Amino acid sequence: LVVVGAGPAGLACSLEARRQGLSFVTLDQEPAIGGTVARYPRRKLVLTQPVELPHGASLDKKTYTKEELMELWSRLATQNRLPIRNGETVVGIERRAEGAFVVRTKTGEHAARSVCLALGRRGTPVKLGVPGEDAPKVAYALVDANAYQGRRVLIVGGGESAVETALALAEQ
């Protein structure tokens, strides 16, 4: 099994694969696990509901900070020896004639009978195709609102993330 993504869904799939005794690898383009949650601003509250995870772990509170979730997920990954390869971007998946898959990354290939696409929506931001959008001063995620204190900022977008970013920056 190849699991693509090490966010909440990819971690849950990886834990279940471990519980089932499967041979698997988890690939993620980010440098650390956590998916979208890893890009949340510091101390952001995350709402959830109590849930049982494989291997006796559970989320038993209704709210967690980003840091609490990241620590929990890192501990679960370490304790369960999850084979997670961070910084490995999937560039293609091909199905062979015999039904097996080849998952191609920027650094190599992985053969698998099954592939789980546990992809989030935030890993590759939507760009406008305008000059300057790749400039070093352009950010596609707000990690620390304090870093922008006293600066002029333009937020592009009208979705939930843009509104949360605007509120966090307005507090500065």
Side-chain angles (χ1 to χ4, degrees):
L1 170 67
V2 172
V3 179
V4 181
L11 292 171
C13 183
S14 299
L15 286 167
E16 182 62 18
R18 173 65 75 217
R19 190 182 75 74
Q20 296 279 339
L22 301 178
S23 172
F24 71 101
V25 65
T26 303
L27 308 175
D28 197 275
Q29 67 183 356
E30 297 297 328
I33 65 171
T36 299
V37 176
R39 292 177 175 260
Y40 283 175
R42 288 187 180 101
R43 297 176 303 283
K44 176 181 169 78
L45 286 180
V46 180
L47 301 175
T48 185
Q49 59 186 9
V51 63
E52 293 297 319
L53 299 170
H55 290 284
S58 66
L59 297 176
D60 50 6
K61 300 186 323 185
K62 290 190 175 191
T63 61
Y64 288 86
T65 63
K66 163 197 168 173
E67 290 77 12
E68 288 174 319
L69 280 177
M70 298 303 295
E71 194 279 324
L72 171 70
W73 291 336
S74 293
R75 189 173 66 246
L76 284 171
T78 300
Q79 287 174 348
N80 292 283
R81 298 179 319 280
L82 298 181
I84 298 173
R85 295 190 184 175
N86 291 102
E88 195 159 345
T89 302
V90 173
V91 295
I93 300 173
E94 176 186 323
R95 188 171 195 144
R96 297 265 164 95
E98 71 278 4
F101 293 93
V102 174
V103 178
R104 287 190 176 78
T105 70
K106 290 182 176 181
T107 58
E109 295 182 349
H110 302 273
R113 280 192 283 160
S114 300
V115 177
C116 174
L117 297 177
L119 305 172
R121 296 181 52 186
R122 211 167 158 169
T124 307
V126 176
K127 296 189 177 183
L128 301 175
V130 297
E133 67 185 5
D134 292 320
K137 67 181 179 179
V138 176
Y140 290 93
L142 178 68
V143 175
D144 184 7
N146 287 331
Y148 295 92
Q149 193 168 19
R151 296 176 64 190
R152 295 178 57 130
V153 178
L154 170 68
I155 299 168
V156 177
E160 187 176 317
S161 295
V163 171
E164 286 181 356
T165 297
L167 290 171
L169 290 171
E171 290 177 3
Q172 302 307 311

